[in-house]
Amino acid sequence: MEFEKKIDDFITKLKNFDKTKLERKIFNPWADFDENDISKNAPKIRCSNLKNFLLKTKSADYILIAESPSLGARFSGVAMTSEKVIKDYGLFNYEFTSLNFKKSPKAEMTATKVWREISKSNKIFTLWNAFAFNINEKEGRWFENPTKEELFSNIDILKSFLSLFPNAKIITVGKTAKNALEILNFKDFESVRHPSNDFKKEFQIQMEKFI
């Protein structure tokens, strides 16, 4: 019950994040909704999805941290975990939130490649982003490189997430995530290549030591 209470407190912190202090527009999947969502209940569903995922990964061996969310957390509420991944892997008690999920569940290349690797393992991986929220470029597209201002505005959230898994080893996914943690003065972590444009399949090779 203590762990569940910590998760509830963490999700409350996410929902209450003050995005008005930032220069760029962001979308908070756990508090915001728009015309691309199935209903006004979409944020509540995403909060429930995240809670279920964190409960399931309570004994995580590793925390994979990317830079900031794209279509994965935007509609699932879980970092690097798209609707298509959830459907394909049947991962956990999950509800969809995108408007046209029945015809076309949202897909994300990073999510697909990350889950292709971690699903092979008997280790437990939990997932997060250095900056928790979607950074809006224009409708349907997202920046993935958080600014220093955005990173520091979110540092309490990142520390709260990491505190849920004190025994897990941190692995950053890509140079941007690595640089982000260095900017925030984190030192004890390892790094792997980002899988999105990894033509040499270095991500897969580098992940083998953790699988």
Side-chain angles (χ1 to χ4, degrees):
M1 289 299 292
E2 182 181 353
F3 184 66
E4 185 172 355
K5 174 64 165 55
K6 288 180 179 179
I7 291 174
D8 289 337
D9 290 345
F10 172 71
I11 292 175
T12 297
K13 187 173 293 186
L14 283 176
K15 292 191 293 184
N16 292 337
F17 180 76
D18 182 11
K19 62 183 181 179
T20 62
K21 58 189 174 183
L22 298 176
E23 290 187 8
R24 294 197 290 184
K25 180 181 177 183
I26 71 165
F27 183 90
N28 183 338
W30 307 279
D32 300 336
F33 66 91
D34 61 21
E35 68 278 5
N36 298 300
D37 289 310
I38 55 170
S39 72
K40 293 180 179 180
N41 286 327
K44 183 177 180 180
I45 294 170
R46 289 190 281 265
C47 287
S48 178
N49 290 342
L50 177 59
K51 180 175 180 177
N52 289 336
F53 177 77
L54 296 180
L55 285 171
K56 186 172 182 179
T57 59
K58 177 181 179 179
S59 302
D61 299 289
Y62 298 108
I63 303 171
L64 288 185
I65 299 182
E67 58 273 29
S68 66
S70 182
L71 288 178
R74 163 63 182 88
F75 289 103
S76 73
V78 181
M80 293 179 276
T81 306
S82 66
E83 290 186 324
K84 188 175 187 306
V85 163
I86 296 297
K87 181 180 179 181
D88 290 348
Y89 287 87
L91 295 176
F92 51 82
N93 184 20
Y94 175 87
E95 293 183 59
F96 294 94
T97 69
S98 68
L99 189 62
N100 298 313
F101 73 87
K102 289 184 179 179
K103 291 184 178 179
S104 181
K106 297 298 183 181
E108 175 190 289
M109 184 183 297
T110 299
T112 298
K113 292 188 175 183
V114 164
W115 277 97
R116 184 181 300 161
E117 298 308 313
I118 66 176
S119 65
K120 300 174 183 176
S121 179
N122 59 3
K123 301 290 186 181
I124 300 174
F125 290 80
T126 196
L127 308 168
W128 198 242
N129 288 293
F131 184 70
F133 311 98
N134 294 100
I135 307 166
N136 188 254
E137 177 182 4
K138 58 184 178 181
E139 189 60 40
R141 298 191 56 168
W142 313 99
F143 284 115
E144 295 187 347
N145 294 351
T147 64
K148 286 186 179 180
E149 175 199 21
E150 288 160 349
L151 288 171
F152 278 105
S153 73
N154 158 94
I155 191 169
D156 188 43
I157 287 174
L158 178 58
K159 287 181 176 178
S160 294
F161 182 89
L162 296 178
S163 73
L164 294 172
F165 308 97
N167 298 317
K169 180 70 178 179
I170 300 171
I171 306 169
T172 57
V173 181
K175 289 182 179 179
T176 302
K178 179 177 182 292
N179 292 340
L181 261 65
E182 289 174 343
I183 288 170
L184 296 172
N185 295 316
F186 289 92
K187 295 180 174 61
D188 186 19
F189 62 88
E190 298 196 46
S191 302
V192 295
R193 182 180 175 87
H194 199 286
S196 290
N197 298 306
D198 185 11
F199 301 110
K200 295 182 179 180
K201 297 185 177 181
E202 292 178 32
F203 172 73
Q204 180 180 353
I205 295 169
Q206 291 169 353
M207 282 295 293
E208 286 179 357
K209 65 182 284 189
F210 307 110
I211 300 299

